[in-house]
Amino acid sequence: MNTLQHAWQRARRRRALITLLLGLPWALAATALALRLAGFDIACVVGTVGLLACAALAKARSRQLDQLWLQRQLDGSGASEDSADLLFADAAMLNPLQQRQRAHVLAALERALPELRPRWPRWALALCWIAGLAIVALAVGWPRSSPGSAPARASAPGSTASAGPLHLQSTRLRIDAPAYTGQATLTQNALDAKVAADSRLSWSLRFDRAPDKAWLQFHDGRRLPLIEHDGQWQAQDVARTPVLYRVVSEPALAGTRLHRLDVVADRAPSVRVLEPAASLVLGTPGQRQWSLRFEASDDYGVAAQATLSITTTQGSGENITFVKRSVTLAGSGEATARRFAHTLDLAALGAQPGNDVIAQLEVRDNHAPTPQSGRSSSVILRLPSAEVALGAELEGRIKKTLPAYFRSQRQIIIDAEALIRQRRSLAAEDFVKRSDAIGVDQRILRLRYGQFLGEESEGAPKPPPTSDLPTSDAPAADSHDEDHDHDHGAEAGAHDAHGHDHGGKPASADTPPVFGSATDVLSEYGHTHDHAEAATLLDPQTRATLKAALDQMWSAEGELRQGRPEQALPFAYKALAFIKQVQQAERIYLARVGPELPPIDEGRRLGGDRAGLASRELPLAARTPPDPAIIEAWQRLGDDTAPPDLDALASWQQRNAAYLPDALDLAAAIEQLRIEPGCRDCRQRLRAQLWRALQRPLPQAMRRSAADAMGQRYLDALEAQP
């Protein structure tokens, strides 16, 4: 059975091959006729269609040799004894006699299998190939003019004009991109293209008859001559800048249009930090490693290796030293999006507590001859110093207490909102008292925040205890002026909040200190005015934000003390928002070198001497007016009778190409009007492009209207006053 199957397949392949050999010469002849009559493009289409038709016909004819054909061939040869149908039937469905006959036929076919392949049609093949090759020879070798006519080059001068304009039969543009882009060679029939920078362009044009000369005319005035080779007019160039061009020949072409070449420059690679997520990372005590991950992307490809720059800062204040290192990393992933990972050993880098480790990745692309580079943003690892770690463990220190202050403003807002909801159930006097109590809490909180700006407590100094005065605290004289006068005394509530008293009774030596008391610790080992010194640790922006929060607290306090919590809530919410900004500040920056300001002349300070002071008004720089020739050209384009100077427009466009919104569109409009001088749509298109290119006039200040009689008398009275 396998022998029969192989013979059947050989017969089908023989039928397909015979069909192809019979059809190929006619497809070749049709292609040659199309090349002679319609040009290269049409010839390619005809040849492709002819080959596809031959293949389809061969496949269809081979399928005609089906199972029924095989049965007829076997029965007709007598080898199957008219039992070929038993060979393709299901053996399980046959009776014993049919199975015996089927085995007998298979054995006979194995001994002597008839020839199933069709014979070669030698005469038909010979006639087809002779006829096809003859048609090809006639199409290629048939002269373009009559035998008795003279050659076109030696014809009379007037014969070229009488023959009519030239026509482009075929166009082909080959684009060889630079090797670093990895793009394959592209061949297209269209003359418009968008190519990579530094691509090599090869033009191949065919005319219906040989012109005297031909060239490519670019919009910037450059010419690229076309050289004839085997009937093809060819030229080569390198794409560096976007250009417009058209095909020009002598005699002129019947129809020509502008073609656009857009050049895509290679972009520099970009690097994105994947890990860590923030640019500033606070290390943990005892941290030994730091993981980094980056992703570099480029339009054509990133180099497989990158350089990781590592800078370690050591010291503090003005004695800071920098140690720089670099590590070469190997990337993974696709060439257009590579990933780089590295884990820094902090001990090997010599990073100590209080140091900063700064990392930045630099990658290069595959641009030739000079690669382009790109860098990531810097990521910083700050290792905590011993002082910071100690401050994190001890409670009661100033820096540790600061976040606790931040949480109390929210409680004031909650108390005020609860008081507003209870207004109907409270008497008016009780409502005002509770609102005043919340205002006192707001004032205490404001005074606490003021210490971090270097401010002192408010109020009059506390009188010392005498025999004539009671030992209780005297009522403090609150100062609610806008300047926040800061004396060294404070009222009782403020002293309770701050934990220090300048005028009160000093603690006796016999009084034992209370363990854990912030007041005793500060009085024993320091002075509570260190808050003012801590204020210098805040950068100017943080200080300004905290000052804005104090201003909002002042307004909220005033409304609460007057029994108006509804009006105090907006100020309290703004204060909370400012406090959150201060809480989220990541780093405290200190100026390494003081600003070099000019010395202040104390002799002129507040003296009223205005000698040498000049006017603060800055002179207005005159704006360059637009080119009057361009305005005139724009006006002429609106008048159909006055054509503009296109050469002047083209030169102006080339000089100002860097400042125009779309220089190529303007150049295309100029060249199109040059090709079709009578085209109204081309004039309007150029006029619209010029309008976009013209500078917009600056808005002028409106002159003040003249004063009326009453206003003039008022102005005269002002001038008459001494």
Side-chain angles (χ1 to χ4, degrees):
M1 193 64 178
N2 291 334
T3 305
L4 180 61
Q5 290 287 345
H6 291 321
W8 183 18
Q9 294 298 328
R10 287 196 298 270
R12 299 182 72 171
R13 287 195 292 268
R14 174 70 64 84
R15 172 67 69 87
L17 183 58
I18 291 173
T19 306
L20 281 176
L21 292 177
L22 290 174
L24 281 178
W26 301 109
L28 184 60
T31 303
L33 288 175
L35 179 62
R36 178 61 185 270
L37 299 177
F40 179 78
D41 297 339
I42 302 299
C44 291
V45 175
V46 172
T48 304
V49 173
L51 291 177
L52 293 177
C54 291
L57 183 60
K59 188 175 183 179
R61 285 179 57 82
S62 66
R63 287 184 176 180
Q64 291 178 357
L65 306 184
D66 53 2
Q67 181 178 331
L68 183 59
W69 171 86
L70 181 59
Q71 293 179 13
R72 288 198 301 266
Q73 291 295 113
L74 294 176
D75 292 339
S77 64
S80 63
E81 300 178 359
D82 293 336
S83 301
D85 56 338
L86 298 177
L87 301 176
F88 303 98
D90 188 4
M93 302 299 295
L94 300 178
N95 55 37
L97 181 60
Q98 291 174 333
Q99 292 179 359
R100 184 174 182 180
Q101 178 65 16
R102 182 174 183 271
H104 175 71
V105 171
L106 285 176
L109 292 177
E110 289 290 339
R111 291 192 301 269
L113 183 66
E115 180 63 36
L116 299 177
R117 293 179 297 179
R119 296 181 178 180
W120 288 99
R122 293 185 175 86
W123 286 104
L125 289 174
L127 290 176
C128 288
W129 278 97
I130 291 173
L133 293 177
I135 295 174
V136 171
L138 290 175
V140 175
W142 194 269
R144 296 181 179 272
S145 58
S146 59
S149 61
R153 297 282 184 181
S155 60
S159 62
T160 302
S162 62
L166 291 175
H167 292 83
L168 274 174
Q169 284 188 339
S170 63
T171 58
R172 185 173 58 184
L173 176 61
R174 174 173 173 170
I175 305 170
D176 295 317
Y180 71 86
T181 62
Q183 298 179 356
T185 300
L186 176 63
T187 302
Q188 62 182 28
N189 297 327
L191 297 181
D192 298 271
K194 188 174 185 179
V195 300
D198 298 331
S199 296
R200 179 166 294 278
L201 307 176
S202 301
W203 288 269
S204 180
L205 311 177
R206 181 181 291 274
F207 300 91
D208 58 348
R209 66 176 188 275
D212 296 336
K213 60 179 179 178
W215 66 91
L216 300 179
Q217 181 67 50
F218 294 91
H219 78 280
D220 55 1
R222 185 167 57 95
R223 285 188 176 188
L224 184 62
L226 293 168
I227 302 175
E228 192 270 339
H229 180 72
D230 293 339
Q232 300 282 342
W233 292 78
Q234 300 174 353
Q236 292 185 350
D237 195 16
V238 178
R240 291 187 173 88
T241 58
V243 291
L244 297 168
Y245 72 99
R246 55 193 174 96
V247 181
V248 183
S249 65
E250 291 183 2
L253 288 171
T256 183
R257 71 178 189 89
L258 287 173
H259 305 282
R260 180 165 180 163
L261 280 177
D262 288 317
V263 178
V264 181
D266 183 15
R267 300 191 304 269
S270 60
V271 187
R272 183 166 61 96
V273 181
L274 299 180
E275 186 182 352
S279 59
L280 177 63
V281 180
L282 298 179
T284 58
Q287 182 175 351
R288 296 184 177 182
Q289 293 182 341
W290 188 29
S291 299
L292 301 173
R293 287 196 306 122
F294 304 88
E295 183 182 44
S297 59
D298 188 69
D299 42 6
Y300 297 121
V302 181
Q305 292 184 343
T307 302
L308 179 65
S309 300
I310 307 169
T311 303
T312 306
T313 64
Q314 299 176 353
S316 61
E318 297 297 332
N319 299 322
I320 294 181
T321 59
F322 299 91
V323 180
K324 296 184 179 181
R325 300 178 179 86
S326 61
V327 179
T328 302
L329 304 182
S332 61
E334 300 180 357
T336 56
R338 294 189 186 274
R339 293 199 171 189
F340 300 87
H342 187 66
T343 301
L344 295 179
D345 188 354
L346 301 180
L349 294 176
Q352 302 294 331
N355 297 162
D356 289 353
V357 180
I358 307 170
Q360 186 180 44
L361 184 70
E362 180 179 3
V363 299
R364 298 179 181 273
D365 61 4
N366 298 326
H367 186 273
T370 304
Q372 301 180 105
S373 61
R375 294 184 178 181
S376 68
S377 58
S378 298
V379 289
I380 306 173
L381 173 65
R382 173 160 301 119
L383 300 177
S385 61
E387 291 79 5
V388 174
L390 182 62
E393 297 175 0
L394 295 179
E395 296 182 359
R397 294 178 64 90
I398 296 175
K399 292 183 180 179
K400 185 63 179 179
T401 310
L402 190 59
Y405 291 166
F406 290 158
R407 290 193 294 268
S408 60
Q409 179 64 26
R410 186 182 300 275
Q411 186 61 43
I412 291 176
I413 295 175
I414 294 174
D415 294 343
E417 292 177 344
L419 179 61
I420 294 173
R421 290 193 296 268
Q422 299 174 5
R423 175 188 288 273
R424 296 183 178 180
S425 61
L426 295 176
E429 184 178 356
D430 295 340
F431 181 83
V432 173
K433 287 183 179 180
R434 292 185 58 178
S435 178
D436 180 71
I438 299 175
V440 172
D441 294 339
Q442 180 70 86
R443 179 175 184 274
I444 295 173
L445 182 62
R446 176 175 58 82
L447 294 176
R448 287 178 174 177
Y449 279 116
Q451 292 180 353
F452 291 94
L453 293 180
E455 299 177 354
E456 298 283 349
S457 303
E458 293 181 349
K462 184 176 181 181
T466 61
S467 57
D468 299 333
L469 295 176
T471 58
S472 60
D473 293 341
D478 294 343
S479 176
H480 293 285
D481 60 342
E482 196 169 326
D483 295 334
H484 297 276
D485 298 332
H486 305 297
D487 299 327
H488 285 280
E491 64 178 10
H495 282 282
D496 294 340
H498 298 307
H500 63 279
D501 194 354
H502 291 274
K505 181 178 179 180
S508 62
D510 299 334
T511 303
V514 181
F515 179 77
S517 174
T519 304
D520 292 333
V521 171
L522 290 174
S523 61
E524 181 71 19
Y525 299 104
H527 193 266
T528 56
H529 284 181
D530 292 342
H531 289 64
E533 298 178 2
T536 59
L537 296 178
L538 300 178
D539 59 282
Q541 182 178 1
T542 305
R543 289 176 58 86
T545 306
L546 191 55
K547 180 61 171 63
L550 292 179
D551 294 340
Q552 298 298 327
M553 289 181 184
W554 176 270
S555 301
E557 175 191 342
E559 299 294 340
L560 288 171
R561 299 295 293 269
Q562 299 180 34
R564 296 195 296 265
E566 295 89 349
Q567 289 81 352
L569 280 179
F571 302 108
Y573 273 112
K574 292 180 180 178
L576 179 61
F578 286 125
I579 291 172
K580 285 298 180 182
Q581 295 181 18
V582 177
Q583 184 182 8
Q584 295 170 2
E586 294 181 347
R587 184 173 184 178
I588 297 175
Y589 293 92
L590 297 177
R592 297 173 183 262
V593 181
E596 297 180 0
L597 301 178
I600 299 176
D601 187 1
E602 299 292 343
R604 299 181 56 188
R605 187 175 183 181
L606 302 179
D609 185 8
R610 299 178 58 85
L613 296 181
S615 175
R616 295 180 179 268
E617 296 181 359
L618 298 177
L620 296 178
R623 188 180 185 184
T624 305
D627 193 346
I630 304 304
I631 299 179
E632 182 182 358
W634 180 81
Q635 294 173 348
R636 286 189 176 184
L637 287 171
D639 187 3
D640 296 339
T641 60
D645 188 356
L646 297 181
D647 294 335
L649 280 179
S651 60
W652 178 84
Q653 181 269 339
Q654 295 174 15
R655 291 194 307 269
N656 300 272
Y659 308 101
L660 297 176
D662 196 337
L664 277 187
D665 283 350
L666 179 58
I670 295 173
E671 294 299 322
Q672 193 64 35
L673 184 59
R674 192 191 303 273
I675 297 173
E676 304 177 47
C679 178
R680 292 179 55 88
D681 294 339
C682 300
R683 295 173 67 95
Q684 294 302 322
R685 190 179 303 113
L686 177 56
R687 196 166 190 262
Q689 291 291 337
L690 280 180
W691 176 256
R692 294 178 56 193
L694 289 176
Q695 296 180 359
R696 299 294 184 269
L698 292 176
Q700 301 295 330
M702 299 294 294
R703 294 186 62 85
R704 184 186 302 175
S705 58
D708 54 6
M710 181 178 296
Q712 190 61 41
R713 288 196 300 271
Y714 176 75
L715 295 176
D716 294 342
L718 289 178
E719 294 179 357
Q721 290 182 359

